[in-house]
Amino acid sequence: DKRIVQKWRAKDWPIKHTSTVSFTFENLGNGTKLTFSHIGVPIDQFKSIGKFLKQRLNEKQLYPIFDDIFKAFRECPYEKLVTIFLTNNAYQKELDGLAFSAKKEIGENDCPEQLTKIFDAVEQDVARGLYLNRNRDLTRWANQGVLLLNCDLSTERGAKPGVHLDLWRPFIEFLIDSVSGYNSGLLWILIGKEALKHKSLINSEVHSIIEVEHPMLSVKEKRPWRHKNIFSEINHASKFLNNYTIDWIIPYTENEINKFINSGLQIKKI
């Protein structure tokens, strides 16, 4: 368990006005409970995130469901933290609280296009002749120490991408500043232009940073994602620093393979 407390202020607050912020990370075994406290925020300078989200929840306009907004922290054990994927959300109803992970709606079998690009990259970068299980739920990555973090932890039905970026910006800025300052040896994967805006908050002397384009750009331009081999890079760095690597590939079991064969569906083999 770990608690981080420090003074903090936003750039547009009155001069010399600071607040007290604390993060408490509680080990739950296979995940982490995050408790966030923020005291001393100027009333006229800061939206109440909780009040705003509850209002949208009552209006049935909020994604993901309220209990999954902080799922990224719940599913990633703090003591296992190896890498942070920082990006901006491009989902709506599929949003499940983990960056790029996608909630499966009834009758849906295919991955969202940007997640397909990510799985293509995993195949190219680290797969070695294995059957690749393209499960839309990326909890298995989070449980191994990958913090899948959106800069906007929520969105609204029918809204354009990024509608909640400003709402979450103070929280995300403080989180990045705290995690960067109280840890070392993490690999930060900044995915897309929005994530790059926070690069200056990361201490590059004790952390490694890789910048890559957002996979949605490759979807729009109908080409492969330029991923810079981030999956193998993460494992090389983690092996050196922590003697630990992420298992990005979960192969199908023999029973699962037989089910596919019997059903006539195709399984892609690398």
Side-chain angles (χ1 to χ4, degrees):
D1 297 351
K2 191 170 185 177
R3 188 166 187 255
I4 300 172
V5 181
Q6 69 180 53
K7 295 290 185 180
W8 184 84
R9 68 181 302 275
K11 295 178 182 178
D12 59 348
W13 287 5
I15 297 174
K16 296 184 179 181
H17 188 113
T18 60
S19 61
T20 302
V21 188
S22 69
F23 283 103
T24 302
F25 300 89
E26 181 182 349
N27 184 7
L28 300 180
N30 64 345
T32 300
K33 178 181 178 182
L34 171 68
T35 302
F36 173 69
S37 174
H38 199 176
I39 302 172
V41 180
I43 296 176
D44 59 344
Q45 293 285 322
F46 193 77
K47 294 180 180 179
S48 170
I49 293 178
K51 182 178 180 180
F52 179 84
L53 295 178
K54 286 179 180 179
Q55 177 185 348
R56 285 296 185 266
L57 182 66
N58 292 335
E59 296 170 357
K60 298 182 180 179
Q61 295 288 322
L62 186 70
Y63 295 116
I65 62 173
F66 197 80
D67 288 345
D68 282 346
I69 287 177
F70 294 104
K71 183 178 179 180
F73 305 99
R74 186 173 72 239
E75 296 296 342
C76 180
Y78 183 74
E79 71 280 1
K80 283 187 177 181
L81 184 60
V82 172
T83 186
I84 297 170
F85 280 33
L86 184 65
T87 187
N88 56 290
N89 168 55
Y91 295 158
Q92 283 202 354
K93 66 179 181 179
E94 302 100 335
L95 187 61
D96 72 355
L98 302 176
F100 299 118
S101 184
K103 183 188 222 178
K104 186 172 181 179
E105 298 295 321
I106 297 175
E108 291 183 336
N109 293 311
D110 296 331
C111 286
E113 291 179 299
Q114 59 182 299
L115 184 53
T116 295
K117 294 290 186 182
I118 291 173
F119 284 142
D120 287 344
V122 172
E123 287 185 0
Q124 182 188 49
D125 188 17
V126 297
R128 295 294 182 266
L130 297 176
Y131 290 106
L132 181 58
N133 187 340
R134 294 195 170 207
N135 191 326
R136 298 157 58 111
D137 182 0
L138 300 183
T139 300
R140 63 190 186 277
W141 290 2
N143 290 163
Q144 296 179 78
V146 182
L147 183 60
L148 298 167
L149 184 62
N150 282 315
C151 294
D152 42 348
L153 298 180
S154 60
T155 190
E156 296 180 37
R157 180 184 301 170
K160 293 181 180 179
V163 67
H164 285 182
L165 281 170
D166 288 339
L167 175 71
W168 287 105
R169 195 179 308 280
F171 173 83
I172 293 296
E173 286 179 351
F174 178 77
L175 176 70
I176 294 171
D177 188 48
S178 298
V179 172
S180 174
Y182 284 84
N183 295 271
S184 62
L186 297 177
L187 188 55
W188 296 73
I189 311 299
L190 306 184
I191 305 175
K193 293 180 180 180
E194 187 61 38
L196 287 177
K197 294 178 181 179
H198 301 292
K199 182 179 178 181
S200 62
L201 298 173
I202 304 169
N203 185 351
S204 59
E205 293 184 2
V206 296
H207 299 286
S208 299
I209 302 172
I210 299 179
E211 304 172 22
V212 294
E213 67 178 15
H214 200 287
M216 186 53 72
L217 182 61
S218 65
V219 171
K220 292 179 180 178
E221 297 181 356
K222 299 180 179 180
R223 59 168 173 77
W225 180 38
R226 295 168 186 153
H227 53 83
K228 297 185 179 179
N229 297 324
I230 56 174
F231 304 99
S232 59
E233 288 294 328
I234 289 170
N235 277 352
H236 290 156
S238 183
K239 182 69 174 177
F240 176 75
L241 294 170
N242 309 302
N243 196 31
Y244 176 80
T245 59
I246 304 297
D247 186 1
W248 302 106
I249 303 169
I250 308 297
Y252 286 107
T253 65
E254 185 175 350
N255 288 337
E256 288 173 327
I257 292 173
N258 288 334
K259 281 184 180 180
F260 277 103
I261 292 175
N262 293 334
S263 66
L265 296 175
Q266 297 293 317
I267 302 177
K268 184 173 181 179
K269 186 177 181 181
I270 311 306

